[in-house]
Amino acid sequence: MPVSTATTTASSPLSLSRTATTTCGSLLRELQEIWDEVGESDSERDKMLLELEQECLDIYRRKVEMTRKYKADLHQFLADAEAEIACLTSSLGERVSFPQYEKVKGILKQQISAISPVLEDLRLKKQERIKEFSETQQQIVRICAEIAGNDQLIGSAEPQVNVQDLTTRKLGELKSHLQELQSEKTLRLQKVDSYISAIHELSVVMSLDFNKIISEIHPSLVNTSNGQPKSISNEIVARLTSEVHSLKQEKQQRLQKIRDLGSTLVELWNLMDTPHGERKRFDHVTCLISSSVDKVSRQGSLAMDAIEQTEVEVERLNVLKASKMKELIFKRQNELEEMYRGVHMDVDSDTARKILIGLMDSGSVDLSNLLLSMDDQIAKAKEQALSRKDILDKVEKWKHASEEENWLDEYERDDNRYSAGRGAHKNLKRAEKARILVSKIPSLVENLTVKVKAWEIEKGIPFLYDKAPLLRTLEEYTVFRQEKEEEKRRSREQKRLQEQFVTEQEALFGSKPTIKKPLGTSINANTMVGTPNSRRSGTPSARHGISGGKERRDSGKAGNVIPVNYVAIAKDQG
């Protein structure tokens, strides 16, 4: 604001006020009186008056010049203010409404009074906007420095603000960028925390020094009490990622190692029948055999101490195993023989044991390899047993059905089977079930034959059952059963002819009295009522075919003497 003008009460710069005129007149009169008393000449008086007038004119000129300059300063101030307002509105990106000073009615001071508040308001807004820009840019620089890992930039001087562009659009862009960086910082902090948590969990499982691992990556990750924030730089995130990956691999390797050791322990325990009390000491190892790597979280479960203790125990058991190797080999041989016998496979126990003894005594064979060979044989025997299981199940059904068939034959030959003796009703029920089962024997034998043939084609070897080919046994059984059916048919035919002969005799000579037998008495004194003797010669379990059945048939034919007065009730056995 320019300096203020001198105070004047005149209505015009060239006219004196009434008071000034009166004062000047009185002073002039006083001066005339003094000149009169002094005796000044007129020329001196005119000269002094002229000097007074010149001095007054000089004073007026100076005042006019000063006022003119003041006016120019006011005009310049208005022009500068308008230019500054234009610059501020352009920089701030705002529109300001104020009257142009040329159009403002009144003196210049009124024009200045109208424009000054607008200018001050814009200047204040500029300072506030610069402060806001500076704070936003400083936060951006700080976060970028944290992400880049450049700690020097964090405490550096405030960033320079471009005062030419202080618009809200530019500020919004900076704030949006700052928000993105803050979001990224938050995500990085979460990622760093998750990595630290994962490293802690892995360290607990493997009994590692967590603080040492983290401090080697960056000290700020361990202790934040000194005000230093956690480092979230690309390098630190990469190192954390690498450390987590490395620890997970170490965990996987340790778990695999302890799994192998645990499996070896279980195998050695089973080999040497180690008591449960000794096994319990390593429950923390054996429980990890079937555990997935993500499920292993117990403290110290994969510590090197636990692995080393397990290795020592495995080594001790291996030494003990070597001393008991022969016993274990013979135990494996017993298992193998028992397995073969269980599935009716031929095994020469004596020869096999002699071979084993010879190998062990010769010293030319590693007993561990021999034991592994025995394990391989047992595994193959299990596979063979599994492949024979379906056929053996059907053989058992066939054997049972054949036994029931023999029992039924004995039962039907008993003349007192319908007597009211003790247990007769049970035999009747069994006979009903036996007839149903016997009716299924042909299809059972046929299906069994198909199964055996398919097995022999697949394996390329005959299916032996108790040292005999099962197919040959089935064929012999089929022939035997056909002969047996033929024998039953001839027997029924003979009974029919006998009955016909008896009927004809009765028609010619009349009926003869028959001797009644006591109720419940059997012709065969050695046979109890309702419990016929079991004849096993026709069952599939009979060795070397069915020769026993043929002998029985021949002896039966030789004893078929038909008494004249014998009356039998014909029964269809088909």
PDB file of all heavy atoms in Angstrom, residues 364-390:
ATOM      1  N   SER A 364      28.668-117.030   2.086  1.00  0.00           N
ATOM      2  CA  SER A 364      28.804-116.361   0.795  1.00  0.00           C
ATOM      3  C   SER A 364      27.645-115.416   0.494  1.00  0.00           C
ATOM      4  O   SER A 364      27.679-114.700  -0.502  1.00  0.00           O
ATOM      5  CB  SER A 364      28.904-117.401  -0.328  1.00  0.00           C
ATOM      6  OG  SER A 364      27.730-118.216  -0.343  1.00  0.00           O
ATOM      7  N   VAL A 365      26.629-115.414   1.349  1.00  0.00           N
ATOM      8  CA  VAL A 365      25.422-114.600   1.117  1.00  0.00           C
ATOM      9  C   VAL A 365      25.253-113.638   2.283  1.00  0.00           C
ATOM     10  O   VAL A 365      25.396-114.028   3.452  1.00  0.00           O
ATOM     11  CB  VAL A 365      24.175-115.503   0.971  1.00  0.00           C
ATOM     12  CG1 VAL A 365      22.936-114.630   0.771  1.00  0.00           C
ATOM     13  CG2 VAL A 365      24.336-116.459  -0.193  1.00  0.00           C
ATOM     14  N   ASP A 366      24.986-112.381   1.943  1.00  0.00           N
ATOM     15  CA  ASP A 366      24.684-111.381   2.968  1.00  0.00           C
ATOM     16  C   ASP A 366      23.310-111.700   3.563  1.00  0.00           C
ATOM     17  O   ASP A 366      22.311-111.819   2.845  1.00  0.00           O
ATOM     18  CB  ASP A 366      24.675-109.984   2.348  1.00  0.00           C
ATOM     19  CG  ASP A 366      24.507-108.906   3.409  1.00  0.00           C
ATOM     20  OD1 ASP A 366      24.403-109.255   4.598  1.00  0.00           O
ATOM     21  OD2 ASP A 366      24.490-107.719   3.053  1.00  0.00           O
ATOM     22  N   LEU A 367      23.274-111.854   4.904  1.00  0.00           N
ATOM     23  CA  LEU A 367      22.015-112.245   5.545  1.00  0.00           C
ATOM     24  C   LEU A 367      20.935-111.170   5.375  1.00  0.00           C
ATOM     25  O   LEU A 367      19.747-111.502   5.292  1.00  0.00           O
ATOM     26  CB  LEU A 367      22.267-112.508   7.037  1.00  0.00           C
ATOM     27  CG  LEU A 367      23.222-113.673   7.351  1.00  0.00           C
ATOM     28  CD1 LEU A 367      23.311-113.886   8.854  1.00  0.00           C
ATOM     29  CD2 LEU A 367      22.768-114.959   6.665  1.00  0.00           C
ATOM     30  N   SER A 368      21.350-109.921   5.302  1.00  0.00           N
ATOM     31  CA  SER A 368      20.355-108.865   5.083  1.00  0.00           C
ATOM     32  C   SER A 368      19.705-109.002   3.709  1.00  0.00           C
ATOM     33  O   SER A 368      18.482-108.882   3.565  1.00  0.00           O
ATOM     34  CB  SER A 368      21.009-107.484   5.214  1.00  0.00           C
ATOM     35  OG  SER A 368      21.529-107.293   6.503  1.00  0.00           O
ATOM     36  N   ASN A 369      20.531-109.290   2.702  1.00  0.00           N
ATOM     37  CA  ASN A 369      19.975-109.498   1.361  1.00  0.00           C
ATOM     38  C   ASN A 369      19.103-110.745   1.321  1.00  0.00           C
ATOM     39  O   ASN A 369      18.084-110.785   0.626  1.00  0.00           O
ATOM     40  CB  ASN A 369      21.116-109.627   0.344  1.00  0.00           C
ATOM     41  CG  ASN A 369      21.877-108.325   0.185  1.00  0.00           C
ATOM     42  OD1 ASN A 369      21.337-107.247   0.432  1.00  0.00           O
ATOM     43  ND2 ASN A 369      23.142-108.413  -0.216  1.00  0.00           N
ATOM     44  N   LEU A 370      19.522-111.771   2.072  1.00  0.00           N
ATOM     45  CA  LEU A 370      18.722-112.988   2.123  1.00  0.00           C
ATOM     46  C   LEU A 370      17.369-112.710   2.772  1.00  0.00           C
ATOM     47  O   LEU A 370      16.330-113.207   2.317  1.00  0.00           O
ATOM     48  CB  LEU A 370      19.478-114.076   2.900  1.00  0.00           C
ATOM     49  CG  LEU A 370      18.797-115.456   2.969  1.00  0.00           C
ATOM     50  CD1 LEU A 370      18.541-116.008   1.569  1.00  0.00           C
ATOM     51  CD2 LEU A 370      19.656-116.422   3.780  1.00  0.00           C
ATOM     52  N   LEU A 371      17.379-111.887   3.826  1.00  0.00           N
ATOM     53  CA  LEU A 371      16.121-111.534   4.477  1.00  0.00           C
ATOM     54  C   LEU A 371      15.241-110.719   3.539  1.00  0.00           C
ATOM     55  O   LEU A 371      14.014-110.916   3.488  1.00  0.00           O
ATOM     56  CB  LEU A 371      16.415-110.743   5.758  1.00  0.00           C
ATOM     57  CG  LEU A 371      15.206-110.416   6.644  1.00  0.00           C
ATOM     58  CD1 LEU A 371      14.555-111.695   7.146  1.00  0.00           C
ATOM     59  CD2 LEU A 371      15.616-109.546   7.817  1.00  0.00           C
ATOM     60  N   LEU A 372      15.863-109.807   2.784  1.00  0.00           N
ATOM     61  CA  LEU A 372      15.086-109.049   1.797  1.00  0.00           C
ATOM     62  C   LEU A 372      14.503-109.974   0.742  1.00  0.00           C
ATOM     63  O   LEU A 372      13.377-109.774   0.274  1.00  0.00           O
ATOM     64  CB  LEU A 372      15.975-107.990   1.145  1.00  0.00           C
ATOM     65  CG  LEU A 372      16.419-106.831   2.038  1.00  0.00           C
ATOM     66  CD1 LEU A 372      17.383-105.923   1.283  1.00  0.00           C
ATOM     67  CD2 LEU A 372      15.209-106.028   2.508  1.00  0.00           C
ATOM     68  N   SER A 373      15.305-110.995   0.352  1.00  0.00           N
ATOM     69  CA  SER A 373      14.798-111.964  -0.614  1.00  0.00           C
ATOM     70  C   SER A 373      13.602-112.718  -0.058  1.00  0.00           C
ATOM     71  O   SER A 373      12.620-112.979  -0.779  1.00  0.00           O
ATOM     72  CB  SER A 373      15.923-112.940  -0.994  1.00  0.00           C
ATOM     73  OG  SER A 373      15.434-113.969  -1.832  1.00  0.00           O
ATOM     74  N   MET A 374      13.661-113.063   1.246  1.00  0.00           N
ATOM     75  CA  MET A 374      12.526-113.734   1.876  1.00  0.00           C
ATOM     76  C   MET A 374      11.293-112.812   1.878  1.00  0.00           C
ATOM     77  O   MET A 374      10.171-113.267   1.642  1.00  0.00           O
ATOM     78  CB  MET A 374      12.888-114.117   3.308  1.00  0.00           C
ATOM     79  CG  MET A 374      14.025-115.128   3.434  1.00  0.00           C
ATOM     80  SD  MET A 374      13.581-116.740   2.740  1.00  0.00           S
ATOM     81  CE  MET A 374      12.267-117.217   3.822  1.00  0.00           C
ATOM     82  N   ASP A 375      11.536-111.528   2.149  1.00  0.00           N
ATOM     83  CA  ASP A 375      10.419-110.581   2.113  1.00  0.00           C
ATOM     84  C   ASP A 375       9.805-110.497   0.718  1.00  0.00           C
ATOM     85  O   ASP A 375       8.574-110.414   0.574  1.00  0.00           O
ATOM     86  CB  ASP A 375      10.894-109.192   2.543  1.00  0.00           C
ATOM     87  CG  ASP A 375      11.257-109.137   4.023  1.00  0.00           C
ATOM     88  OD1 ASP A 375      10.734-109.978   4.775  1.00  0.00           O
ATOM     89  OD2 ASP A 375      12.057-108.268   4.408  1.00  0.00           O
ATOM     90  N   ASP A 376      10.660-110.537  -0.307  1.00  0.00           N
ATOM     91  CA  ASP A 376      10.143-110.531  -1.682  1.00  0.00           C
ATOM     92  C   ASP A 376       9.321-111.777  -1.959  1.00  0.00           C
ATOM     93  O   ASP A 376       8.264-111.707  -2.618  1.00  0.00           O
ATOM     94  CB  ASP A 376      11.300-110.431  -2.682  1.00  0.00           C
ATOM     95  CG  ASP A 376      12.011-109.086  -2.595  1.00  0.00           C
ATOM     96  OD1 ASP A 376      11.393-108.128  -2.088  1.00  0.00           O
ATOM     97  OD2 ASP A 376      13.177-109.006  -3.028  1.00  0.00           O
ATOM     98  N   GLN A 377       9.798-112.920  -1.469  1.00  0.00           N
ATOM     99  CA  GLN A 377       9.036-114.151  -1.664  1.00  0.00           C
ATOM    100  C   GLN A 377       7.688-114.089  -0.964  1.00  0.00           C
ATOM    101  O   GLN A 377       6.671-114.541  -1.511  1.00  0.00           O
ATOM    102  CB  GLN A 377       9.840-115.343  -1.130  1.00  0.00           C
ATOM    103  CG  GLN A 377      11.111-115.650  -1.918  1.00  0.00           C
ATOM    104  CD  GLN A 377      11.828-116.865  -1.380  1.00  0.00           C
ATOM    105  OE1 GLN A 377      11.203-117.883  -1.074  1.00  0.00           O
ATOM    106  NE2 GLN A 377      13.143-116.765  -1.255  1.00  0.00           N
ATOM    107  N   ILE A 378       7.683-113.519   0.231  1.00  0.00           N
ATOM    108  CA  ILE A 378       6.413-113.389   0.960  1.00  0.00           C
ATOM    109  C   ILE A 378       5.470-112.456   0.208  1.00  0.00           C
ATOM    110  O   ILE A 378       4.262-112.716   0.110  1.00  0.00           O
ATOM    111  CB  ILE A 378       6.685-112.879   2.387  1.00  0.00           C
ATOM    112  CG1 ILE A 378       7.384-113.964   3.206  1.00  0.00           C
ATOM    113  CG2 ILE A 378       5.391-112.444   3.075  1.00  0.00           C
ATOM    114  CD1 ILE A 378       7.817-113.512   4.583  1.00  0.00           C
ATOM    115  N   ALA A 379       6.023-111.368  -0.339  1.00  0.00           N
ATOM    116  CA  ALA A 379       5.185-110.440  -1.113  1.00  0.00           C
ATOM    117  C   ALA A 379       4.595-111.131  -2.341  1.00  0.00           C
ATOM    118  O   ALA A 379       3.406-110.967  -2.652  1.00  0.00           O
ATOM    119  CB  ALA A 379       6.012-109.223  -1.528  1.00  0.00           C
ATOM    120  N   LYS A 380       5.423-111.939  -3.023  1.00  0.00           N
ATOM    121  CA  LYS A 380       4.911-112.666  -4.187  1.00  0.00           C
ATOM    122  C   LYS A 380       3.871-113.706  -3.768  1.00  0.00           C
ATOM    123  O   LYS A 380       2.880-113.932  -4.470  1.00  0.00           O
ATOM    124  CB  LYS A 380       6.068-113.342  -4.910  1.00  0.00           C
ATOM    125  CG  LYS A 380       7.014-112.366  -5.599  1.00  0.00           C
ATOM    126  CD  LYS A 380       8.164-113.099  -6.273  1.00  0.00           C
ATOM    127  CE  LYS A 380       9.130-112.124  -6.943  1.00  0.00           C
ATOM    128  NZ  LYS A 380      10.275-112.805  -7.580  1.00  0.00           N
ATOM    129  N   ALA A 381       4.140-114.367  -2.619  1.00  0.00           N
ATOM    130  CA  ALA A 381       3.174-115.358  -2.123  1.00  0.00           C
ATOM    131  C   ALA A 381       1.838-114.697  -1.801  1.00  0.00           C
ATOM    132  O   ALA A 381       0.769-115.269  -2.040  1.00  0.00           O
ATOM    133  CB  ALA A 381       3.734-116.055  -0.883  1.00  0.00           C
ATOM    134  N   LYS A 382       1.903-113.468  -1.265  1.00  0.00           N
ATOM    135  CA  LYS A 382       0.654-112.746  -0.982  1.00  0.00           C
ATOM    136  C   LYS A 382      -0.087-112.433  -2.269  1.00  0.00           C
ATOM    137  O   LYS A 382      -1.317-112.541  -2.322  1.00  0.00           O
ATOM    138  CB  LYS A 382       0.964-111.461  -0.230  1.00  0.00           C
ATOM    139  CG  LYS A 382       1.391-111.683   1.217  1.00  0.00           C
ATOM    140  CD  LYS A 382       1.675-110.354   1.906  1.00  0.00           C
ATOM    141  CE  LYS A 382       2.083-110.580   3.361  1.00  0.00           C
ATOM    142  NZ  LYS A 382       2.401-109.307   4.058  1.00  0.00           N
ATOM    143  N   GLU A 383       0.661-112.064  -3.309  1.00  0.00           N
ATOM    144  CA  GLU A 383       0.014-111.789  -4.592  1.00  0.00           C
ATOM    145  C   GLU A 383      -0.630-113.056  -5.153  1.00  0.00           C
ATOM    146  O   GLU A 383      -1.757-113.021  -5.657  1.00  0.00           O
ATOM    147  CB  GLU A 383       1.048-111.246  -5.584  1.00  0.00           C
ATOM    148  CG  GLU A 383       1.581-109.860  -5.229  1.00  0.00           C
ATOM    149  CD  GLU A 383       2.607-109.372  -6.224  1.00  0.00           C
ATOM    150  OE1 GLU A 383       2.859-110.110  -7.201  1.00  0.00           O
ATOM    151  OE2 GLU A 383       3.161-108.274  -6.036  1.00  0.00           O
ATOM    152  N   GLN A 384       0.111-114.171  -5.062  1.00  0.00           N
ATOM    153  CA  GLN A 384      -0.455-115.443  -5.540  1.00  0.00           C
ATOM    154  C   GLN A 384      -1.685-115.821  -4.729  1.00  0.00           C
ATOM    155  O   GLN A 384      -2.690-116.289  -5.290  1.00  0.00           O
ATOM    156  CB  GLN A 384       0.600-116.543  -5.467  1.00  0.00           C
ATOM    157  CG  GLN A 384       1.781-116.341  -6.418  1.00  0.00           C
ATOM    158  CD  GLN A 384       2.801-117.451  -6.297  1.00  0.00           C
ATOM    159  OE1 GLN A 384       2.592-118.432  -5.580  1.00  0.00           O
ATOM    160  NE2 GLN A 384       3.925-117.289  -6.976  1.00  0.00           N
ATOM    161  N   ALA A 385      -1.588-115.653  -3.411  1.00  0.00           N
ATOM    162  CA  ALA A 385      -2.729-116.003  -2.564  1.00  0.00           C
ATOM    163  C   ALA A 385      -3.935-115.146  -2.912  1.00  0.00           C
ATOM    164  O   ALA A 385      -5.071-115.624  -2.939  1.00  0.00           O
ATOM    165  CB  ALA A 385      -2.358-115.827  -1.100  1.00  0.00           C
ATOM    166  N   LEU A 386      -3.680-113.863  -3.199  1.00  0.00           N
ATOM    167  CA  LEU A 386      -4.784-112.978  -3.565  1.00  0.00           C
ATOM    168  C   LEU A 386      -5.399-113.385  -4.896  1.00  0.00           C
ATOM    169  O   LEU A 386      -6.633-113.350  -5.060  1.00  0.00           O
ATOM    170  CB  LEU A 386      -4.266-111.543  -3.644  1.00  0.00           C
ATOM    171  CG  LEU A 386      -5.320-110.462  -3.875  1.00  0.00           C
ATOM    172  CD1 LEU A 386      -6.304-110.434  -2.710  1.00  0.00           C
ATOM    173  CD2 LEU A 386      -4.666-109.086  -4.037  1.00  0.00           C
ATOM    174  N   SER A 387      -4.543-113.811  -5.846  1.00  0.00           N
ATOM    175  CA  SER A 387      -5.075-114.236  -7.143  1.00  0.00           C
ATOM    176  C   SER A 387      -5.842-115.562  -7.039  1.00  0.00           C
ATOM    177  O   SER A 387      -6.702-115.841  -7.872  1.00  0.00           O
ATOM    178  CB  SER A 387      -3.932-114.374  -8.150  1.00  0.00           C
ATOM    179  OG  SER A 387      -3.091-115.461  -7.804  1.00  0.00           O
ATOM    180  N   ARG A 388      -5.534-116.389  -6.019  1.00  0.00           N
ATOM    181  CA  ARG A 388      -6.205-117.687  -5.843  1.00  0.00           C
ATOM    182  C   ARG A 388      -7.427-117.593  -4.935  1.00  0.00           C
ATOM    183  O   ARG A 388      -8.179-118.552  -4.820  1.00  0.00           O
ATOM    184  CB  ARG A 388      -5.219-118.684  -5.223  1.00  0.00           C
ATOM    185  CG  ARG A 388      -4.065-119.062  -6.124  1.00  0.00           C
ATOM    186  CD  ARG A 388      -2.969-119.761  -5.354  1.00  0.00           C
ATOM    187  NE  ARG A 388      -3.405-121.003  -4.750  1.00  0.00           N
ATOM    188  CZ  ARG A 388      -3.332-122.210  -5.310  1.00  0.00           C
ATOM    189  NH1 ARG A 388      -2.804-122.328  -6.522  1.00  0.00           N
ATOM    190  NH2 ARG A 388      -3.766-123.285  -4.697  1.00  0.00           N
ATOM    191  N   LYS A 389      -7.613-116.444  -4.282  1.00  0.00           N
ATOM    192  CA  LYS A 389      -8.642-116.338  -3.253  1.00  0.00           C
ATOM    193  C   LYS A 389     -10.036-116.637  -3.794  1.00  0.00           C
ATOM    194  O   LYS A 389     -10.802-117.402  -3.191  1.00  0.00           O
ATOM    195  CB  LYS A 389      -8.621-114.929  -2.646  1.00  0.00           C
ATOM    196  CG  LYS A 389      -9.579-114.759  -1.478  1.00  0.00           C
ATOM    197  CD  LYS A 389      -9.457-113.368  -0.898  1.00  0.00           C
ATOM    198  CE  LYS A 389     -10.381-113.209   0.312  1.00  0.00           C
ATOM    199  NZ  LYS A 389     -11.790-113.481   0.020  1.00  0.00           N
ATOM    200  N   ASP A 390     -10.379-116.037  -4.935  1.00  0.00           N
ATOM    201  CA  ASP A 390     -11.718-116.235  -5.486  1.00  0.00           C
ATOM    202  C   ASP A 390     -11.968-117.710  -5.798  1.00  0.00           C
ATOM    203  O   ASP A 390     -13.034-118.262  -5.485  1.00  0.00           O
ATOM    204  CB  ASP A 390     -11.872-115.383  -6.747  1.00  0.00           C
ATOM    205  CG  ASP A 390     -13.304-115.384  -7.260  1.00  0.00           C
ATOM    206  OD1 ASP A 390     -14.213-115.571  -6.435  1.00  0.00           O
ATOM    207  OD2 ASP A 390     -13.508-115.216  -8.476  1.00  0.00           O
TER     208      ASP A 390
END
